[in-house]
Amino acid sequence: MSVRWIDALTGSLEQKKKYKEIVARLDGLPDPYAGTARAFTRYFVYYGAIPDGATLVDLFAGFADLWERAAADATPLGDVIGDDPVAFAEEFVRAYRSKEWIDKERARLVQAIDAALSDEERMS
């Protein structure tokens, strides 16, 4: 009972423990992987597209797995990130997000534009 009460006030203690373990994993990477991973994790937090603590922990765990594999294989940073680090970061976060209210509006926008293009084509 008290654990639930504490979790309600401060967030899940288990998630905080896992988060700290993941951060320790990332900090334990050799450079340049550790510095790169720190830069991305900072961006993830400021990007703000992570809906809850459980998703954040899952995302960081997946990210730690990625960089540990890259470091173990000595994969060049550019081969992991590609040419655009922002696009890489935002695509990585997108893989962990669930459906959002804007997804429905995006689909509605695409449908409206498709209908307008069809009307335009029919009139010409």
Side-chain angles (χ1 to χ4, degrees):
M1 171 113 176
S2 65
V3 171
R4 285 186 189 172
W5 186 79
I6 291 170
D7 283 354
L9 284 177
T10 66
S12 168
L13 294 176
E14 186 61 33
Q15 287 175 0
K16 288 179 181 175
K17 181 180 171 189
K18 286 181 182 175
Y19 175 80
K20 287 182 180 181
E21 290 171 358
I22 293 165
V23 170
R25 287 172 54 196
L26 292 171
D27 287 343
L29 291 168
D31 276 324
Y33 302 103
T36 303
R38 273 193 297 274
F40 275 109
T41 55
R42 177 182 167 90
Y43 184 78
F44 292 155
V45 173
Y46 281 94
Y47 182 53
I50 304 163
D52 56 56
T55 303
L56 180 70
V57 169
D58 288 345
L59 182 143
F60 275 38
F63 198 65
D65 291 344
L66 172 75
W67 287 108
E68 286 173 342
R69 265 182 281 159
D73 297 340
T75 305
L77 294 177
D79 289 355
V80 177
I81 301 167
D83 295 333
D84 185 351
V86 173
F88 169 80
E90 293 177 4
E91 186 66 32
F92 194 86
V93 169
R94 206 170 292 125
Y96 285 87
R97 289 190 343 204
S98 58
K99 283 232 175 237
E100 297 177 341
W101 65 269
I102 196 68
D103 294 335
K104 185 177 177 181
E105 292 304 317
R106 286 180 181 132
R108 189 175 286 169
L109 174 63
V110 168
Q111 189 177 24
I113 298 303
D114 286 346
L117 290 171
S118 291
D119 289 346
E120 181 183 59
E121 189 175 300
R122 205 175 10 181
M123 288 185 214
S124 61

